[in-house]
Amino acid sequence: MSLPDRLRAAQGEIAATLATLLAPHDGPVGDAMRYAVTGGKRLRGFLLLETAALFDVPRATALRAAAAIEAVHAYSLVHDDLPCMDDDDLRRGQPTVHRRWDEATAVLAGDALLTAAFEWLASLDTGPAIRCELILTLAQAAGASGMVRGQALDIAAETAAAPLTLDAITDLQGLKTGRLLEWPCRAGALLGRADPAPLLAYAADLGLAFQIADDLLDVEGDAAVMGKAVQKDAAAGKATFVSLLGVPRARQRAEALVKSAQDALLPFGSRAATLSDVARFVVTRDK
Ligand code: GRG
């Protein structure tokens, strides 16, 4: 099956799993939770399914963990879009949650999605040691030493006296975006009782390539295709990989990272062909 077909099939399975898991939640917060997890590429969930498949993890188990990472990702987007953060009106081609409902509902729906992710992991049908490790590592990836720290550094950079250096941007993005792309690769190995090292090396390169591509899309992307505003970084005078390296060198850097990510998969041979295609996809995507 080609990457687009596999991704489309996985998107459907993840959507169905999320629909089942979120079904008990009623009222505006429940509706906003379902709305927030609708659409998107499901890249993080797909990474979990594909890495877990390397070790023949049962699909239902992997899908529940994939739903958890997509819920954490959706929470981060809902909160990132709030007026106190990026103040965005559009996400995935639809009004943002605080625009569709209100700010209080958006805060609560985000909080509830984050909490639900841990509830779903806590009731996985793996042994207790693996469940605890999944919960611990997701908390570390999303929390004050992970994504939240990256977001805080990003906000602080807006009012800093000097623009960020390339090293500082690399560190910041590794936290803000990289940690949530790394966790599903770690989780696939954990669920498969396998050494996570090769998949963590793959994820590190993939995460950085993803962020460089995101910066390129902000400059060159089509708002209608992306379903969100573009050219926001330049308008905010933000230092990005593209503002510091320029488009051609940023593209070159992303290409080198794709190659390095693909090399990290060599121990898995042809079983990792889809993950190898994902590395290429993150820099060729148009949204
Ligand atoms: C609010 C704690 C907190 C964190 C927010 C992830 C994040 C931190 C902010 C999102 C802002 C942003 C656009 C970051 C760039 C990278 C990124 C995460 C893009 C969105 O991810 P995609 O492209 O989205 O995978 P879809 O919609 O496909 O799921």
Side-chain angles (χ1 to χ4, degrees), residues 39-44 70 73 75-77 79-80 85-86 91-92 142 147-148 151 173 176-177 210-211 214 228 285 287:
K41 294 180 288 297
R42 309 282 193 208
L43 180 58
R44 293 153 193 80
E70 286 294 331
H73 171 55
Y75 127 77
S76 79
L77 300 180
H79 283 195
D80 185 64
M85 298 219 193
D86 261 11
R91 169 71 64 184
R92 296 173 171 169
M147 178 179 64
V148 167
Q151 179 79 344
Q173 296 299 351
K176 182 177 157 181
T177 310
F210 178 93
Q211 189 53 50
D214 217 67
K228 63 178 184 183
R285 65 200 167 98
K287 62 180 180 180

Side-chain angles (χ1 to χ4, degrees), residues 32 36-37 73-82 91 96-98 105-111 113:
V37 299
H73 171 55
Y75 127 77
S76 79
L77 300 180
V78 171
H79 283 195
D80 185 64
D81 289 335
L82 284 167
R91 169 71 64 184
T96 46
V97 174
H98 66 276
T105 307
V107 170
L108 292 173
D111 290 343
L113 283 168

